[in-house]
């Protein structure tokens, strides 16, 4: 396909997305004559798409359909990951925040972000990412991405990779500017929004940092299901052990054997360990749950091997007579390695002339936990540090390991109902309510609008319609919602108009992140 043809079909794709959004609005407003005209225009536009775009369009419709099962939506996400069509991002982003679809949606979005039809650009991407692996070769990586940007100035991911390198080289202002370019070209790039927030944190521009982080959350309300599950399990089993504590209590002995790698034995270790587990969930948010599952499994394997060595070998008995300390020490200190190597400080300060950062408080808590049980806790902590280093250095290509997809889906279906956060539940309930409102009473002429189609301007059709109503000050049942002054001040401080901010907060029932998503 020639570049001129690609541009023409891209314009058709954008027009189709706009028509579908307008069709959803017309159906919601019960303007069925307008919805019918827009439906006819939509059908005509579909005939002008390329075969790949037609296929992508049909798969996004599956994501939007209320009748589609989770399995069908996962298949659609896998299919969209192979097409590389940027126009699908609006539909794919509607799956973010849903535990069963989160991983598939993120993978599909990254496949689109990284896609370029130019083989020369793809080769530069591979070369640049090889040079990003070590600090000494960062200047070479920067040079490669500079060439990529010159070769393909409309390829957003080239700017994003250059922004990442600039951040690693501590050129925060230049990195933030590149992140802005990425978001202008690719509004659904949540990683660029998060990176821009990190740059502003380093530049002490905290209002801009908050706005950038809120943008990232509005696009991708990522949670940390594995970390959350481990936190709940560890704290719960530790409390149970304390409740049944006693040398002759049968339940206590059984629990001790079953929860060796999970439950802390003492209240002091539990307090520090719970704080660290809660704070270090940011590691999963940064790496993604699919990679983090491998990371957690590696630390569990290291913990088990250390326990066996200390408990069933003669040298282990001599080194640590009582065996290894009970609790997720290996997991915590594996996360500490990632925290040390990959998480930048938010605040820097001096104490008696010594340069420190806010990260020092976590290090102090970690040292206290490491030494809490003497040699037993020290050995378990060192095993975690070893597994964390092995992952960080990508020994045997461990970063590319993944659990089989059927196993991941099984775990997700089991964990999702009780790990899903309150905000995520509310968001899905609001989406379902909005979709129901869109479909209410719509006769056949507008039926295609309620079925759900691809749109590049919002995560769902209903959200897309609300984004227009925010601009127009349209009415609705939500107009009776009392607007929170604090939330209103937050949005107006970000530069949005007061009337638009009020309307967005009414539509989202004072959910600042949701309102920000509508305004954007």
């Amino acid at each position: 396909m020639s570049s001129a043809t690609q541009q023409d079909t891209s314009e058709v794709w954008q027009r189709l997305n706009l028509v579908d959004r307008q069709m959803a609005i017309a159906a919601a407003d019960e303007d069925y004559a307008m919805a019918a005209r827009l439906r006819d225009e939509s059908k005509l536009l579909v005939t002008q798409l390329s075969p790949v775009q037609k296929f992508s369009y049909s798969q996004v419709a599956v994501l939007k359909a209320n009748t589609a099962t989770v399995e069908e939506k996962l298949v659609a996400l896998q299919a969209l990951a192979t097409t590389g069509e940027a126009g699908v991002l609006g539909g794919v982003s509607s799956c973010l925040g849903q535990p069963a679809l989160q991983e598939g949606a993120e993978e599909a979005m990254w496949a689109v972000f990284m896609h370029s039809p130019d083989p020369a650009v793809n080769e530069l991407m591979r070369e640049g990412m090889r040079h990003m692996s070590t600090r000494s070769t960062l200047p070479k990586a920067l040079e490669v991405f500079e060439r990529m940007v010159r070769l393909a100035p409309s390829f957003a991911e080239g700017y994003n990779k250059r922004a990442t390198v600039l951040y690693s080289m501590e050129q925060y202002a230049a990195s933030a500017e590149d992140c802005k370019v990425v978001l202008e070209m690719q509004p659904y790039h949540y990683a660029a929004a998060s990176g821009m927030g990190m740059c502003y944190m380093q530049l002490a521009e905290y209002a801009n940092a908050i706005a950038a982080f809120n943008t990232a959350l509005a696009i991708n309300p990522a949670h940390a299901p594995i970390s959350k599950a481990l936190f709940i399990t560890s704290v719960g089993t530790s409390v149970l052990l304390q409740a049944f504590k006693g040398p002759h209590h049968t339940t206590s002995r059984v629990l001790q054997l079953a929860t060796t790698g999970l439950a802390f034995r003492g209240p002091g270790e539990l307090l520090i360990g719970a704080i660290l587990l809660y704070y270090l969930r940011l590691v999963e948010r940064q790496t993604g749950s699919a990679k983090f599952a491998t990371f957690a499994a590696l630390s569990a394997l290291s913990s088990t091997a250390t326990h066996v060595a200390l408990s069933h070998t003669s040298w282990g008995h001599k080194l640590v007579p009582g065996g290894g300390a009970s609790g997720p020490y290996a997991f915590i200190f594996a996360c500490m390695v990632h925290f040390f190597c990959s998480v930048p400080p938010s605040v820097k300060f001096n104490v008696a002339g010594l340069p420190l950062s806010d990260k020092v408080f976590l290090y102090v808590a970690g040292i206290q936990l490491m030494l809490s049980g003497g040699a037993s806790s020290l050995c378990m902590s060192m095993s975690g540090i070893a597994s964390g280093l092995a992952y960080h250095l990508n020994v045997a290509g461990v970063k590319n390991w993944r659990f089989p997809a059927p196993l991941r889906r099984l775990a997700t279906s089991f964990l999702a109902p009780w790990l899903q956060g309150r905000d995520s539940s509310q968001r899905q309930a609001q989406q379902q309510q909005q979709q129901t409102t869109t479909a209410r009473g719509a006769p056949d002429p507008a039926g295609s609008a309620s079925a759900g189609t691809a749109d590049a301007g919002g995560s769902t059709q209903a959200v897309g319609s609300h984004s227009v109503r925010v601009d127009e000050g349209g009415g609705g049942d939500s107009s009776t919602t009392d607007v929170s002054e604090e939330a209103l001040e937050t949005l107006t401080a970000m530069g949005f108009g007061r009337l638009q901010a009020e309307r967005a907060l009414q539509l989202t029932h004072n959910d600042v992140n949701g309102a920000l998503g509508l305004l954007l």
Side-chain angles (χ1 to χ4, degrees):
M1 183 183 294
S2 67
S3 59
T5 304
Q6 287 179 341
Q7 183 176 0
D8 291 342
T9 56
S10 176
E11 292 175 356
V12 171
W13 181 268
Q14 293 175 9
R15 175 60 185 168
L16 178 61
N17 287 325
L18 177 61
V19 168
D20 284 336
R21 289 181 61 198
Q22 293 173 335
M23 186 163 53
I25 297 168
D29 290 341
E30 300 182 359
D31 186 353
Y32 303 128
M34 174 62 73
R37 288 194 294 272
L38 291 168
R39 180 205 59 186
D40 293 339
E41 182 178 356
S42 176
K43 289 182 176 180
L44 178 62
L45 289 169
V46 168
T47 64
Q48 302 176 39
L49 294 176
S50 69
V52 172
Q53 289 173 328
K54 289 179 181 178
F55 173 74
S56 301
Y57 184 80
S58 67
Q59 296 305 299
V60 172
V62 174
L63 299 180
K64 297 293 186 68
N66 295 329
T67 56
T69 65
V70 170
E71 290 73 19
E72 291 172 337
K73 292 184 177 183
L74 287 172
V75 171
L77 287 170
Q78 292 172 358
L80 290 171
T82 66
T83 66
E85 284 293 333
V88 308
L89 289 173
V92 174
S93 68
S94 66
C95 301
L96 295 172
Q98 302 180 40
L101 303 176
Q102 178 80 22
E103 180 187 339
E106 288 184 354
E107 290 181 354
M109 293 182 78
W110 274 108
V112 173
F113 294 155
M114 297 288 288
H115 173 75
S116 171
D118 189 342
V121 172
N122 293 327
E123 179 57 35
L124 286 174
M125 177 67 74
R126 287 189 289 268
E127 181 183 354
M129 293 184 68
R130 284 197 301 269
H131 292 307
M132 289 175 67
S133 59
T134 57
R135 181 171 291 275
S136 61
T137 57
L138 285 177
K140 181 63 176 176
L142 181 60
E143 178 187 337
V144 172
F145 291 129
E146 292 278 7
R147 285 158 46 199
M148 181 190 294
V149 168
R150 289 194 297 269
L151 177 63
S154 61
F155 183 46
E157 194 57 29
Y159 295 92
N160 186 54
K161 289 295 183 286
R162 187 172 70 175
T164 303
V165 174
L166 289 169
Y167 183 90
S168 300
M169 298 173 69
E170 300 184 0
Q171 299 182 32
Y172 304 120
S175 179
E177 288 302 316
D178 268 353
C179 290
K180 287 181 183 179
V181 174
V182 176
L183 288 170
E184 288 172 0
M185 299 172 67
Q186 188 49 270
Y188 288 100
H189 207 307
Y190 56 87
S194 178
M196 186 164 62
M198 293 169 65
C199 291
Y200 284 132
M201 288 293 290
Q202 296 293 343
L203 296 169
E205 298 182 21
Y206 299 118
N208 288 333
I210 291 172
F213 287 136
N214 280 336
T215 299
L217 284 172
I219 301 169
N220 184 10
H223 57 312
I226 298 173
S227 299
K228 187 174 181 180
L230 184 58
F231 176 84
I232 294 172
T233 305
S234 179
V235 173
T237 54
S238 299
V239 171
L240 282 175
L241 277 177
Q242 296 298 315
F244 293 107
K245 193 172 184 179
H248 304 294
H249 204 297
T250 303
T251 305
S252 177
R253 291 198 297 273
V254 172
L255 281 175
Q256 286 179 12
L257 291 173
T259 61
T260 299
L262 290 172
F264 294 101
R265 293 293 183 260
E269 292 88 339
L270 172 59
L271 176 61
I272 300 173
I275 293 172
L276 291 172
L277 283 172
Y278 181 80
Y279 190 86
L280 289 170
R281 72 195 189 284
L282 62 86
V283 175
E284 181 177 358
R285 288 177 171 173
Q286 191 176 69
T287 61
S289 295
K291 293 182 179 179
F292 191 76
T294 304
F295 176 87
L298 183 63
S299 68
L301 182 62
S302 175
S303 174
T304 303
T306 304
H307 272 294
V308 170
L310 293 177
S311 303
H312 297 86
T313 62
S314 57
W315 61 267
H317 283 295
K318 292 178 181 178
L319 182 64
V320 185
S326 176
Y329 285 86
F331 174 81
I332 289 173
F333 283 92
C335 290
M336 290 286 281
V337 172
H338 180 92
F339 180 80
F340 176 81
C341 297
S342 304
V343 178
S346 300
V347 180
K348 297 179 180 179
F349 54 90
N350 290 315
V351 175
L354 182 65
L356 299 173
S357 74
D358 57 322
K359 296 174 70 174
V360 72
F361 300 109
L362 202 71
Y363 297 149
V364 170
I367 292 172
Q368 187 173 352
L369 182 65
M370 178 186 290
L371 302 178
S372 62
S376 61
S377 58
L378 180 61
C379 287
M380 298 308 302
S381 302
M382 294 305 295
S383 73
I385 292 174
S387 64
L389 285 172
Y391 189 88
H392 180 71
L393 297 174
N394 199 23
V395 175
V398 66
K399 288 186 177 180
N400 297 322
W401 296 359
R402 296 289 185 277
F403 283 101
L407 184 60
R408 297 203 304 267
R409 287 196 292 268
L410 178 63
T412 299
S413 62
F414 173 73
L415 295 174
W418 64 283
L419 289 181
Q420 187 169 338
R422 182 176 60 88
D423 292 341
S424 180
S425 300
Q426 290 177 344
R427 185 180 297 105
Q428 290 186 45
Q430 289 174 4
Q431 288 179 351
Q432 291 173 357
Q433 182 179 6
Q434 290 164 352
Q435 290 171 355
T436 302
T437 301
T438 301
R440 73 184 187 281
D444 184 64
S448 59
S450 62
T453 49
D455 69 90
S459 58
T460 64
Q461 288 181 337
V463 171
S465 69
H466 286 331
S467 67
V468 175
R469 293 180 181 216
V470 169
D471 294 334
E472 297 175 351
D477 295 339
S478 60
S479 61
T480 59
T481 302
D482 293 332
V483 174
S484 165
E485 284 298 325
E486 182 179 357
L488 184 60
E489 289 177 5
T490 300
L491 293 176
T492 54
M494 295 178 187
F496 297 108
R498 185 177 180 86
L499 291 178
Q500 289 182 335
E502 284 182 352
R503 180 59 183 154
L505 288 169
Q506 289 172 346
L507 290 168
T508 57
H509 303 285
N510 290 315
D511 180 354
V512 174
N513 288 335
L516 183 63
L518 298 183
L519 290 166
L520 292 171

